[in-house]
Amino acid sequence: MNSAMTEDADESPVWSSTNLARMPPAIFGLQQKLYHKAKQEPGFRFYSLFGLILRRDVLQSAWDRVASNNGSPGVDKVSIAEVEARPSGVENLLNNIESELRSKSYRPAAVRRVMIPKANGKLRPLGIPTVKDRVVQTAVKIIIEPIFEADFLECSHGYRPDRSAHDALREVIGNVKEGRSEVYDADLSSYFDTIPHDKLMLAVERRIADRSVLSLLRLWLKAEVEERDEHGGPPKRSRPNAGTPQGGVISPLLANLYLHWFDKLFHRADGPRWWANARLVRFADDLTIHAKYIGDRITSWVEETLEGRFGLTINRSKTSIRRLSPKNDEALDFLGYRTWYAPDQFGRKTRYLTAQPSPKAMATERENLRKIICREMSWLPITQLIDRVNRQTAGWAVYHRLGRPARCFARINTFIVGRLYRHLRRRSQRPYRPPAGVSWWPHLTNDLGLVLLKTPTAKVR
């Protein structure tokens, strides 16, 4: 980096309006300067970043972020708590990391693969690096994320500071209101596992010329994956030829960077943004394209670009075109929300554009509640069980607060009360009864502490 890096970052827009990650002021200021430099010079390649990663305050901040997430241990079975419990455990770990990075002897351990159930009953692979590797990845991310943030476009919302799925949903609603009511909803098959390494690194090298940083990224992409045998056999290890495993700290940024170049092509003078007046909304690998008419030219362009140029695979069984109109019941399910023209609740013939929790989101929440309110939990005091229910529904309600979720919230409330009623009636030999003169609903809410979902005031637009 040159002397321009020392200029006051306040002279240009900052990469994050607030220090949401609560980084130390010196680190946050460094990120602002990196963003400033990248924003001011779109063609600049950063060639002196490794020394910033080695800074002790950067490594300490990386540890603090990893420790706050309190994730599972990796293949070495070392947890956050174990590191903290050792005498000078954190200091020794950071010293070891710094020493290995300086001597170029650092090598990542294998990534522990676990299978996480999906809502459709299938399994999703999740890669868990060791605590040590997560700290190094976080330190690298602290330094390189502002650089790529300077390039990312407004249509991208996933895994970015100051952006969320709610922002993407607002864009979807806004596009439909503006008349782009036909939506191409594209689904990528196993996106994180199929990103071509060579093409991904080319995207990285457009901005980063520091060979030490590039070497670290390649090491993580090629790190072995360890799978445990469910029947107690020896673990199996393999080295991936493509993809960046979900679960790694650096993976979301790299995955976002790769599709950033799809965003760029979409918005070029010869892209759909101009010849079809289309709009793109992307949240990581979930993307929708909005236009007044979605024809073969747009779908062919998307398929040829993603599958041909980017080497990805479109799941055509899950990819569809939706035509949102007051004249039909077609709906777009995107990021856990259903967007459609809903019938008027008072029986009038008019319809209104709205968003609400999708049927899949509703089914997933009911299944999560079944796992809490079940026979296996009969040993748990009822107030503690209800506290678990409250924590589960609170997070779900915060995410699904946009649009008009009142009816969906009411259905979840009815489901919870009914299930708690049956649970209490069967958990002992003598059927449970509320106090005399008190019905079940007020007994659960007033006496036992159940917090029902309330209709929020937040609007999509």
Side-chain angles (χ1 to χ4, degrees):
M1 293 179 292
N2 59 23
S3 60
M5 282 295 301
T6 63
E7 295 176 2
D8 187 356
D10 293 336
E11 294 179 4
S12 70
V14 295
W15 80 292
S16 178
S17 60
T18 54
N19 189 357
L20 295 178
R22 298 180 180 178
M23 304 293 289
I27 304 291
F28 189 61
L30 173 62
Q31 290 180 315
Q32 302 287 28
K33 291 177 181 179
L34 289 166
Y35 178 89
H36 183 174
K37 176 66 175 177
K39 201 71 173 177
Q40 294 296 104
E41 300 186 37
F44 183 81
R45 297 180 70 212
F46 290 78
Y47 52 85
S48 184
L49 298 174
F50 195 65
L52 300 178
I53 295 168
L54 292 175
R55 281 175 41 165
R56 179 47 67 107
D57 56 350
V58 172
L59 293 176
Q60 182 65 53
S61 295
W63 162 260
D64 293 340
R65 294 181 70 174
V66 171
S68 66
N69 291 331
N70 196 27
S72 301
V75 294
D76 61 358
K77 300 181 181 179
V78 176
S79 66
I80 299 291
E82 288 182 64
V83 175
E84 293 177 328
R86 298 170 182 168
S88 303
V90 176
E91 183 179 357
N92 289 338
L93 174 66
L94 299 184
N95 287 338
N96 182 40
I97 289 173
E98 183 180 353
S99 175
E100 289 188 7
L101 290 176
R102 286 188 184 280
S103 63
K104 305 298 175 67
S105 62
Y106 167 79
R107 295 294 182 273
V111 175
R112 181 168 69 92
R113 173 172 287 177
V114 296
M115 306 304 290
I116 306 298
K118 297 171 64 175
N120 58 8
K122 297 182 180 180
L123 297 176
R124 175 172 62 90
L126 185 68
I128 303 177
T130 63
V131 172
K132 175 182 174 181
D133 291 334
R134 294 206 295 271
V135 172
V136 183
Q137 289 188 24
T138 303
V140 172
K141 183 183 177 184
I142 287 172
I143 298 303
I144 70 173
E145 184 177 38
I147 297 171
F148 294 120
E149 270 293 319
D151 296 335
F152 290 164
L153 304 185
E154 290 296 313
C155 64
S156 171
H157 300 276
Y159 307 123
R160 297 185 59 190
D162 288 356
R163 291 173 180 266
S164 68
H166 289 168
D167 298 320
L169 179 69
R170 291 186 178 97
E171 290 296 318
V172 167
I173 293 290
N175 288 329
V176 176
K177 286 183 175 180
E178 291 172 0
R180 298 177 183 88
S181 55
E182 294 205 8
V183 186
Y184 179 63
D185 182 17
D187 182 87
L188 295 175
S189 298
S190 303
Y191 170 64
F192 279 80
D193 298 326
T194 58
I195 302 174
H197 288 168
D198 55 344
K199 294 183 178 181
L200 172 59
M201 289 307 300
L202 287 175
V204 175
E205 290 169 11
R206 284 177 173 265
R207 272 302 201 176
I208 296 178
D210 190 318
R211 293 183 180 181
S212 296
V213 176
L214 296 174
S215 177
L216 285 176
L217 295 176
R218 291 191 182 95
L219 285 173
W220 291 323
L221 291 176
K222 295 294 185 181
E224 288 186 314
V225 176
E226 179 179 289
E227 296 185 72
R228 296 282 180 175
D229 191 327
E230 296 181 358
H231 305 290
K236 297 179 181 179
R237 290 194 175 188
S238 59
R239 201 172 292 277
N241 296 317
T244 175
Q246 295 186 68
V249 176
I250 204 72
S251 294
L253 176 61
L254 295 179
N256 216 15
L257 170 64
Y258 192 59
L259 280 181
H260 160 70
W261 291 98
F262 174 80
D263 303 345
K264 294 278 287 185
L265 293 175
F266 183 92
H267 288 87
R268 279 197 332 189
D270 58 349
R273 169 65 177 83
W274 300 105
W275 50 256
N277 194 21
R279 298 292 184 272
L280 170 66
V281 179
R282 184 172 66 81
F283 190 92
D285 59 324
D286 291 319
L287 60 94
T288 59
I289 294 174
H290 304 249
K292 292 185 177 180
Y293 172 71
I294 300 290
D296 292 341
R297 188 180 180 188
I298 290 182
T299 58
S300 297
W301 184 90
V302 173
E303 292 170 2
E304 291 171 4
T305 303
L306 288 175
E307 295 186 327
R309 185 160 185 167
F310 285 81
L312 303 172
T313 302
I314 295 176
N315 186 342
R316 285 169 172 74
S317 65
K318 294 184 178 180
T319 297
S320 61
I321 298 175
R322 301 293 179 180
R323 296 173 175 85
L324 307 186
S325 169
K327 299 180 181 180
N328 62 41
D329 291 323
E330 287 198 45
L332 171 68
D333 289 348
F334 183 59
L335 301 178
Y337 278 89
R338 166 158 288 188
T339 302
W340 65 315
Y341 281 90
D344 185 86
Q345 59 182 341
F346 299 108
R348 293 172 295 196
K349 294 183 178 180
T350 56
R351 288 174 173 256
Y352 54 90
L353 181 65
T354 189
Q356 63 189 49
S358 68
K360 182 178 178 180
M362 292 285 288
T364 300
E365 180 63 3
R366 285 193 292 266
E367 184 58 31
N368 290 332
L369 290 167
R370 287 189 185 98
K371 294 177 182 177
I372 299 174
I373 314 171
C374 60
R375 290 182 182 275
E376 289 74 15
M377 291 294 177
S378 294
W379 60 272
L380 191 67
I382 187 61
T383 54
Q384 294 183 28
L385 184 141
I386 288 178
D387 184 59
R388 293 188 182 186
V389 171
N390 290 340
R391 291 198 300 269
Q392 169 62 36
T393 57
W396 187 85
V398 166
Y399 181 81
H400 290 95
R401 69 182 186 273
L402 298 189
R404 298 176 183 265
R407 290 189 177 183
C408 293
F409 281 14
R411 294 190 189 106
I412 293 295
N413 287 337
T414 301
F415 177 83
I416 293 171
V417 171
R419 195 157 183 90
L420 283 173
Y421 166 79
R422 291 188 295 272
H423 179 79
L424 287 169
R425 297 280 291 179
R426 69 166 179 251
R427 63 184 282 146
S428 62
Q429 293 181 347
R430 297 181 62 184
Y432 183 96
R433 290 186 176 87
V438 180
S439 62
W440 276 97
W441 199 284
H443 176 57
L444 288 170
T445 56
N446 298 334
D447 301 334
L448 299 181
L450 176 65
V451 179
L452 297 176
L453 303 185
K454 296 181 180 179
T455 303
T457 58
K459 296 182 179 179
V460 177
R461 275 281 178 186

